[in-house]
Amino acid sequence: MPVTAVVGAQWGDEGKGRIIDYLAQAADVVIRFQGGDNAGHTVINEYGKHALHLIPSGIFNPKTQNIIGSGCVVNPQALLDEMSELTAAGVDLSNLWISTRAQMVMPYHRTLDVLEEAARGKDTIGTTKRGIGPAYADKAARSGLRIGDLLQPEWLEARLDNALRTVNRKIEILGGEPVDGQQLFELCLSFREQLGPRIIDTVPMTRDAIVNKKQILLEGQLGVMRDLDWGIYPYVTSSNPTASYASSGAGLPARTISRVIGVVKAYSTAVGDGPFPVELHDEDGTRLREIGGEFGATTGRPRRCGWFDGVAISYAAWLNGMTGLAITKLDVLDEFDSIKICVGYKRPDGTLITDTMPDTPVLMQVTPVYEAWEGWKCSTAGCRSWDDLPKQARAYLHRISELAAIKIDYVSVGAAREQMFAV
Ligand code: GDP
Ligand code: IMO
Ligand code: MG
């Protein structure tokens, strides 16, 4: 069965974009199934270096249909900006589609994201301030506007009017400026002008692809540790990056997904607030950040860095039903004498957690238990097969696979498309 979900197995930024770009060379359809322009998926190929926010990472293959699925929240302005950048780089956008059912991120969602973060005082989530939480909140509250509404101006106007009744009150309570409905409506009409022909009911396209056994990739955003239900709540995003949501957010029957690839860095990073047990505040943490270029692709924030978290991978692999791992950024560890892996969390009472993810208040109190692995102290950037890797690197990767209890499908040793190989 040709549907593969590609999901983040850590705290986001695992390298999902580059994996999709690689796999999309042979894909007929790529569908982003959740999230919005909080994503920053870096792809480096013959078109240059691009951080994709909303556009699926299969866009560089002119034969691939790229769909922004119904599980996404779409800021039309951000999408138009991204489209302009890609067009300027010579990328063909004729196969870019947006589901009528995807929610719209309106300018007031960004305003609310900023105001709500400020109102949290010291208990911030560290959001990307892209309006993602408020847009999904409106979706659940049934006051959201959908991309398809752009095609029905009368309906859109009434929906907007309805939404603004509560939105403006909220904004005022939080100390912001209320928004003008008429101006927003006109802005929406300009979005309709520019995006109209790309807004489609995606079901005929995806159904046709399934019937004809086409290769379909489902592109996740963020990672399991920031999943709304299964992540470090409340320091999470407002959607579900886990594979179980992929079919719903993409608009496919659940049983059509036959492969789930979990993307993991060979170490750990997180951007934003919340517990991150393996975080290093020492020189090793700084080295990982510098060598790995660990700065957010969307916000530019320095990422928190740490050793590989074996508890998180065991949890992520099981929860996602992963069939294989794609391990990225192995090359970042090339110069370390010794490399650690967290194999358990110790609670304050001394008891050990190895195969479950404790709830947030408990996770905040645990200390990681490490085992040390010998470094390989040579460059892996030119390796193009498993056998090319130094034996210490193979042993290290083998341990990660053992902790996840699944096989390794791909390894990457550099950010360029060719610096990746199947195992
Ligand atoms: P995503 O959000 O999961 O797509 O990941 P990001 O693009 O936010 O972050 C991954 C970063 O690591 C990007 O800057 C990539 O160019 C870079 N990258 C991906 N794979 C590798 C790799 O194997 N080695 C190195 N050195 N960099 C990589
Ligand atoms: P990709 O797809 C890393 C984090 C934010 C914050 C939390 C909630 O590139 O892996 P949000 O703006 O979604 O309400 O923020 O989630 N976050 C990400 N961290 N990579 C991302 O996307 C992220 N998208 C959101 O830092 O902690
Ligand atoms: Mg990213």
Side-chain angles (χ1 to χ4, degrees):
M1 292 274 278
V3 182
T4 301
V6 177
V7 296
Q10 295 165 311
W11 282 256
D13 302 327
E14 298 90 349
K16 298 172 291 291
R18 66 90 40 93
I19 303 285
I20 295 278
D21 171 63
Y22 174 87
L23 297 175
Q25 294 174 95
D28 300 295
V29 186
V30 176
I31 312 175
R32 263 284 303 269
F33 65 83
Q34 44 75 230
D37 62 318
N38 48 347
H41 293 182
T42 314
V43 173
I44 300 178
N45 57 26
E46 71 269 29
Y47 291 96
K49 177 174 178 176
H50 296 280
L52 299 172
H53 303 293
L54 279 161
I55 297 180
S57 306
I59 197 69
F60 301 98
N61 180 352
K63 295 196 188 118
T64 307
Q65 303 297 326
N66 286 273
I67 299 175
I68 302 175
S70 62
C72 294
V73 290
V74 180
N75 179 329
Q77 190 55 58
L79 177 59
L80 288 165
D81 293 346
E82 200 174 329
M83 287 166 61
S84 305
E85 276 173 41
L86 290 183
T87 304
V91 180
D92 177 8
L93 298 184
S94 29
N95 292 329
L96 175 64
W97 310 104
I98 317 154
S99 165
T100 47
R101 290 174 166 83
Q103 293 281 317
M104 242 194 306
V105 178
M106 301 296 281
Y108 54 76
H109 288 129
R110 281 199 179 191
T111 307
L112 281 169
D113 202 351
V114 173
L115 292 171
E116 286 172 6
E117 270 287 80
R120 289 184 185 113
K122 63 174 181 39
D123 300 316
T124 52
I125 290 165
T127 75
T128 58
K129 300 198 168 75
R130 296 298 190 271
I132 306 301
Y136 276 112
D138 276 356
K139 174 182 180 176
R142 294 151 296 182
S143 54
L145 276 71
R146 305 207 289 185
I147 287 286
D149 296 348
L150 292 175
L151 304 180
Q152 317 286 343
E154 273 180 36
W155 167 261
L156 171 75
E157 196 168 20
R159 296 287 302 149
L160 187 57
D161 188 51
N162 178 289
L164 287 184
R165 277 179 232 152
T166 43
V167 163
N168 271 337
R169 278 192 217 162
K170 257 195 239 168
I171 291 181
E172 280 178 300
I173 289 168
L174 293 169
E177 284 293 310
V179 296
D180 180 80
Q182 191 54 35
Q183 261 180 22
L184 257 188
F185 180 60
E186 277 156 29
L187 181 66
C188 287
L189 294 182
S190 85
F191 293 149
R192 169 196 158 94
E193 277 289 292
Q194 298 170 82
L195 295 172
R198 298 183 189 278
I199 302 173
I200 58 164
D201 174 8
T202 57
V203 169
M205 190 184 277
T206 50
R207 194 172 47 203
D208 194 57
I210 292 284
V211 169
N212 291 301
K213 303 204 173 342
K214 301 281 186 198
Q215 294 292 331
I216 303 177
L217 293 174
L218 308 183
E219 176 173 358
Q221 184 261 333
L222 243 181
V224 60
M225 297 307 294
R226 300 267 190 209
D227 183 280
L228 179 59
D229 293 278
W230 298 101
I232 47 171
Y233 193 89
Y235 306 97
V236 291
T237 196
S238 300
S239 64
N240 297 100
T242 37
S244 14
Y245 186 68
S247 57
S248 177
L252 296 172
R255 69 182 168 81
T256 55
I257 300 178
S258 58
R259 274 179 93 198
V260 178
I261 298 178
V263 188
V264 276
K265 269 177 199 172
Y267 51 98
S268 304
T269 66
V271 60
D273 300 332
F276 181 44
V278 292
E279 181 168 14
L280 294 170
H281 296 282
D282 60 6
E283 200 196 323
D284 283 334
T286 309
R287 282 181 76 199
L288 286 171
R289 184 174 312 107
E290 281 169 6
I291 302 171
E294 297 296 353
F295 297 89
T298 295
T299 58
R301 291 179 289 179
R303 293 177 182 149
R304 301 156 72 188
C305 296
W307 298 119
F308 190 84
D309 189 328
V311 184
I313 195 60
S314 142
Y315 178 70
W318 185 81
L319 200 58
N320 282 287
M322 285 177 196
T323 57
L325 292 174
I327 304 183
T328 62
K329 304 193 90 160
L330 183 69
D331 55 298
V332 174
L333 302 176
D334 284 351
E335 294 311 320
F336 286 83
D337 293 321
S338 164
I339 302 165
K340 290 184 184 157
I341 297 182
C342 165
V343 291
Y345 299 150
K346 203 191 267 182
R347 294 191 189 87
D349 66 5
T351 52
L352 197 64
I353 302 168
T354 54
D355 63 354
T356 57
M357 185 52 65
D359 202 2
T360 307
V362 179
L363 195 62
M364 280 170 155
Q365 293 174 28
V366 302
T367 42
V369 177
Y370 292 112
E371 59 186 30
W373 287 75
E374 188 190 345
W376 42 96
K377 304 280 287 174
C378 62
S379 173
T380 53
C383 296
R384 294 293 177 269
S385 72
W386 179 259
D387 292 338
D388 283 350
L389 293 172
K391 79 171 189 316
Q392 296 90 335
R394 278 183 269 145
Y396 177 74
L397 292 176
H398 181 73
R399 181 66 175 133
I400 290 178
S401 165
E402 192 174 70
L403 288 163
I406 45 163
K407 65 189 190 324
I408 300 170
D409 283 349
Y410 304 96
V411 174
S412 81
V413 290
R417 191 189 265 173
E418 62 277 10
Q419 287 180 297
M420 183 167 145
F421 51 85
V423 174

